Amino acid sequence: FIKPVSTGEILRRLNIMRFNPAATRFVNLIEADVGRPFAHIVSKFEAPHLVEDAREVLDTLAAKEKEVHSEGRWYSMRIRPYRTTQNLIDGVVITFAEITTQKQAQQQFAILSHVVERTPNLVIITDADCQIEYVNPSFLETSGFRENEVIERDVRSLLPGAREGEEAPSHPAWSGEEWQGDLEYLARGGGTFWVETRVSRIVEDGKVTHLIAIGDNVSESKRAASAIEQRRSLLNGADDHRSAIAVLLF
């Protein structure tokens, strides 16, 4: 029996039947071990319940899969019943496929997810059609929306001018290109808020698959700038009024 993955062993009544050379990377095996109980063999990976798992697979005929660690590498260990050419169950097969790269990617994703969940920046992730797939807690807190109110919604429907039942208005920030600037969003229950935003693209095989918007809430500074501008306009208006009076009196 040969399985086209990293290694495979066949056990009959939990005795070693045969193994391929790659199996010795995981278990201390030599040719003389054929026929010995598997429980007597020392493994090089962390799977303290391997024998019990093998027996369970024999009893239930349901395959079992676990992730195991060996010498700095990760593997997917799969235990399944061994069927003969006569379709009889004659032991179990244990196979190992390396998943170190996938495991490292999962760990990196978990770290990034942790950072995104706790950053004060507002984060929105959409698909290529601008349908929202994720917003972080900071966005929900600022906007007042619940997560189920925005997921699968067109992000452009959160921009001022959007009307329910109508096509969401276009905006260069969500055109599928890289973009940077200030975006005004609608808040739940009325009102708006401003986000200094950078929109980036994720491209796979030459096609845009996702858009990621990351930004800071700049509503307070926007309101402060607006108040200053209004005050300046009032002062300029007052100066013009005084000048007009001076001309009339002269």
Side-chain angles (χ1 to χ4, degrees), residues 62-146:
K64 200 163 191 175
E65 190 168 358
K66 288 185 174 181
E67 294 180 355
V68 297
H69 188 257
S70 175
E71 299 178 345
R73 314 294 292 178
W74 283 94
Y75 300 87
S76 174
M77 179 182 71
R78 183 175 173 82
I79 310 172
R80 62 181 179 84
Y82 171 60
R83 295 180 183 272
T84 67
T85 54
Q86 290 77 34
N87 201 32
L88 299 174
I89 302 299
D90 196 27
V92 298
V93 180
I94 304 177
T95 60
F96 298 86
E98 186 169 353
I99 57 169
T100 302
T101 301
Q102 298 95 308
K103 193 71 175 177
Q104 291 172 342
Q106 289 174 2
Q107 292 170 343
Q108 291 173 356
F109 179 78
I111 293 171
L112 290 174
S113 297
H114 180 85
V115 172
V116 170
E117 286 286 309
R118 287 157 180 78
T119 180
N121 296 116
L122 282 65
V123 180
I124 304 174
I125 300 177
T126 78
D127 64 14
D129 296 321
C130 297
Q131 303 300 305
I132 297 175
E133 293 188 357
Y134 170 83
V135 291
N136 73 337
S138 291
F139 179 87
L140 295 175
E141 181 180 355
T142 302
S143 68
F145 285 107
R146 302 185 184 94

Side-chain angles (χ1 to χ4, degrees), residues 14 31 33 53 108 114 135 144 160 162 171 178 208-209 235:
L14 299 185
E31 289 298 328
D33 289 324
D53 291 337
Q108 291 173 356
H114 180 85
V135 291
H171 192 284
E178 302 281 330
V208 176
T209 62
L235 291 174

Side-chain angles (χ1 to χ4, degrees), residues 7 21 23 35 47 64 66 84 117 119 184 207 228 230 245 250:
T7 182
K64 200 163 191 175
K66 288 185 174 181
T84 67
E117 286 286 309
T119 180
E184 186 180 17
K207 295 179 62 178
I228 291 172
Q230 289 178 4
I245 292 175
F250 180 80

Side-chain angles (χ1 to χ4, degrees), residues 161-236:
R163 295 181 179 179
E164 189 173 352
E166 297 183 6
E167 184 177 353
S170 61
H171 192 284
W174 301 104
S175 63
E177 301 295 330
E178 302 281 330
W179 187 89
Q180 188 169 355
D182 292 344
L183 274 176
E184 186 180 17
Y185 288 98
L186 299 172
R188 188 175 189 267
T192 63
F193 60 97
W194 285 88
V195 182
E196 185 179 25
T197 306
R198 181 178 181 86
V199 180
S200 303
R201 307 182 302 166
I202 295 179
V203 180
E204 294 181 6
D205 299 326
K207 295 179 62 178
V208 176
T209 62
H210 291 83
L211 299 172
I212 302 178
I214 302 176
D216 296 319
N217 184 356
V218 293
S219 301
E220 290 300 325
S221 60
K222 281 280 186 181
R223 281 192 283 268
S226 177
I228 291 172
E229 184 60 32
Q230 289 178 4
R231 182 174 178 80
R232 182 182 292 115
S233 297
L234 289 173
L235 291 174
N236 289 339

